[in-house]
Amino acid sequence: MTLRRRGEKATISIQEHMAIDVCPGPIRPIKQISDYFPRFPRGLPPDAGPRAEAPPDATARPAAASAGRRSPSDGARDDDEDVDQLFGAYGASPSPSPSPGPSPARPPAKPPEDEPDADGYESDDCTALGTLDFSLLYDQENNALHCTISKAKVPRLMFSRKGLKPMDHNGLADPYVKLHLLPGASKANKLRTKTLRNTLNPTWNETLTYYGITDEDMIRKTLRISVCDEDKFRHNEFIGETRVPLKKLKPNHTKTFSICLEKQLPVDKTEDKSLEERGRILISLKYSSQKQGLLVGIVRCAHLAAMDANGYSDPYVKTYLKPDVDKKSKHKTAVKKKTLNPEFNEEFCYEIKHGDLAKKTLEVTVWDYDIGKSNDFIGGVVLGINAKGERLKHWFDCLKNKDKRVERWHTLTNELPGAVLSD
């Protein structure tokens, strides 16, 4: 408070002026602009008319009694009340005045109606993002997972258009569907359909196939199906997705789905990047009693990671039987040009006694051949007594069954413990 001498005119600082004149009573909530400009989804209500007149008893306020103690803030508060009453007739609901006395009668407020979203969709993801029809079939004999993408659609609901959510300026979309296997999603295990132009009701009827799917994959893997909008000049836009645990499928039985698309789910960043999948490889093992050696067959690879700028790789495979004291166990296949699904059908023989195989480890690595620079490592897998899951089972089946060829699909990962990551 500013001190003054006796007889001196009182001076009030701007802070005191604001505190005294602006806040004379209880703190009132700050009004929103929307309080003065109400929104009506279908125009004004039919009963909206001129401002309702106040009843006679409302005009009986003792105006003369309050005339002598009016302040600038009272005028501002009266203006607020006039604005509130003006828009109250059109369905607005301003905050009540703290002043005593009866308030003017107002027409009863109508219950608020459900307004549609700005884009014409309800908030429900099923309505906004659409549904996807597809079917899944696990071919256990050929280790293949067939995914048939049928169509995308949305039921006719109030305030919704039929079809996918429009993504382009013309109110349409250029949708396509892509698949990933989780965990271990990468470009190597991504499959996608063709793109359909300018439509919100796409029909693909296209089958995408994953090769090298094992029974172990069917237990722990989840298929992620995403619908995206292709954009030639910007990044492709995400529309919606759904995820199906493969353990829901029965071998050799087709299961049909019609599922609502959901918003993009967060990616688990704690997933070990060392287990990123780089493709699949089909390996055959056989211990030949006649040749007194282990026959390793490199049959084919599927869904390899693209290492070149053209979206392909020039893959070849190397094998080692370790420990390799003499460093003579290296074998290499031919290079297959510009492909992510090469077929090799090559076989190598390691002369070794059957009893010594229990102490050995087979390392298989896949490389991308480059001219004029070092070759790129694509992925690898280890078979032996220190392996786990299908890799360990494959090795033991070979040891137990002499002169019998045992084929298994294996997943290539981007790291191989103990391997030499240079060619």
Side-chain angles (χ1 to χ4, degrees):
M1 185 73 178
T2 304
L3 300 177
R4 63 185 179 89
R5 297 177 182 178
R6 179 177 298 179
E8 184 179 355
K9 186 178 180 180
T11 59
I12 302 177
S13 65
I14 185 65
Q15 292 85 356
E16 294 171 326
H17 170 76
M18 296 295 292
I20 295 173
D21 289 348
V22 178
C23 302
I27 298 178
R28 302 177 63 198
I30 301 176
K31 294 185 179 298
Q32 304 289 332
I33 294 181
S34 58
D35 293 337
Y36 300 105
F37 298 93
R39 295 177 56 192
F40 299 98
R42 298 178 182 82
L44 294 176
D47 59 344
R51 183 177 52 150
E53 295 184 359
D57 59 343
T59 60
R61 289 187 178 181
S66 60
R69 46 187 175 86
R70 290 177 60 88
S71 65
S73 61
D74 295 333
R77 186 159 57 244
D78 292 342
D79 293 339
D80 288 344
E81 293 175 357
D82 292 340
V83 173
D84 294 342
Q85 294 174 7
L86 176 63
F87 286 96
Y90 294 92
S93 56
S95 58
S97 174
S99 58
S103 58
R106 297 176 183 177
K110 298 183 64 177
E113 299 182 7
D114 294 334
E115 296 187 16
D117 294 342
D119 294 336
Y121 296 93
E122 293 182 347
S123 59
D124 183 56
D125 292 344
C126 179
T127 303
L129 303 180
T131 61
L132 183 67
D133 294 351
F134 61 96
S135 63
L136 298 177
L137 169 63
Y138 173 49
D139 186 353
Q140 190 176 29
E141 182 179 356
N142 297 315
N143 296 104
L145 176 64
H146 305 284
C147 180
T148 301
I149 306 298
S150 300
K151 59 184 178 180
K153 64 180 181 179
V154 161
R156 288 187 179 274
L157 294 178
M158 195 173 185
F159 305 131
S160 69
R161 303 183 184 96
K162 183 178 181 181
L164 293 178
K165 181 179 180 181
M167 305 298 291
D168 299 338
H169 295 295
N170 59 2
L172 300 174
D174 302 324
Y176 67 92
V177 179
K178 63 179 180 179
L179 311 180
H180 284 100
L181 284 176
L182 305 176
S186 65
K187 292 183 179 179
N189 62 30
K190 182 184 77 172
L191 300 178
R192 60 164 288 175
T193 66
K194 60 185 177 182
T195 301
L196 301 182
R197 302 291 178 184
N198 298 326
T199 178
L200 297 180
N201 298 277
T203 300
W204 289 279
N205 291 326
E206 187 173 347
T207 299
L208 306 175
T209 302
Y210 278 107
Y211 295 99
I213 302 297
T214 64
D215 292 340
E216 182 181 1
D217 293 329
M218 296 300 295
I219 296 176
R220 66 184 186 91
K221 291 285 187 179
T222 297
L223 180 65
R224 176 190 179 190
I225 306 177
S226 306
V227 182
C228 301
D229 172 59
E230 185 176 290
D231 198 321
K232 294 182 178 180
F233 306 103
R234 297 180 297 176
H235 292 291
N236 296 342
E237 296 182 81
F238 176 85
I239 297 179
E241 73 169 33
T242 185
R243 300 187 182 187
V244 180
L246 298 185
K247 60 184 179 181
K248 291 184 176 181
L249 305 180
K250 295 181 179 180
N252 306 317
H253 283 77
T254 301
K255 186 170 184 179
T256 304
F257 298 85
S258 181
I259 299 181
C260 292
L261 296 176
E262 302 175 356
K263 296 179 180 179
Q264 192 167 16
L265 300 177
V267 179
D268 186 7
K269 297 182 179 180
T270 61
E271 183 180 336
D272 189 1
K273 293 184 178 180
S274 65
L275 298 180
E276 177 186 345
E277 295 185 4
R278 296 295 188 90
R280 306 288 175 119
I281 186 170
L282 180 59
I283 302 174
S284 68
L285 297 178
K286 174 186 175 181
Y287 185 82
S288 175
S289 301
Q290 182 180 0
K291 296 183 179 181
Q292 290 293 308
L294 175 66
L295 301 180
V296 179
I298 305 300
V299 183
R300 59 178 295 196
C301 294
H303 315 300
L304 292 179
M307 307 301 291
D308 297 337
N310 59 6
Y312 293 95
S313 295
D314 302 322
Y316 67 95
V317 180
K318 294 191 303 181
T319 64
Y320 294 89
L321 191 61
K322 295 186 176 184
D324 184 16
V325 180
D326 299 330
K327 296 184 179 181
K328 295 181 180 180
S329 67
K330 175 182 175 181
H331 289 285
K332 184 189 301 186
T333 68
V335 177
K336 302 296 180 179
K337 293 290 185 178
K338 198 176 179 181
T339 179
L340 301 179
N341 299 279
E343 294 189 10
F344 298 100
N345 293 316
E346 298 188 34
E347 191 174 70
F348 310 116
C349 181
Y350 291 99
E351 295 183 0
I352 186 175
K353 295 179 180 180
H354 183 269
D356 295 338
L357 280 178
K359 305 175 184 178
K360 294 290 184 177
T361 297
L362 179 66
E363 293 184 359
V364 182
T365 55
V366 183
W367 299 78
D368 170 53
Y369 177 76
D370 289 322
I371 300 177
K373 60 179 181 179
S374 59
N375 299 329
D376 298 322
F377 173 72
I378 297 179
V381 64
V382 177
L383 306 179
I385 57 174
N386 295 324
K388 297 180 180 179
E390 290 289 334
R391 296 167 294 166
L392 178 61
K393 182 180 179 181
H394 192 187
W395 189 254
F396 276 156
D397 288 346
C398 174
L399 297 183
K400 292 179 181 179
N401 302 281
K402 288 185 179 181
D403 300 316
K404 180 181 178 181
R405 186 183 305 276
V406 183
E407 283 190 356
R408 291 282 193 281
W409 280 96
H410 298 284
T411 301
L412 299 170
T413 58
N414 63 334
E415 282 192 9
L416 185 60
V420 180
L421 299 183
S422 61
D423 191 17

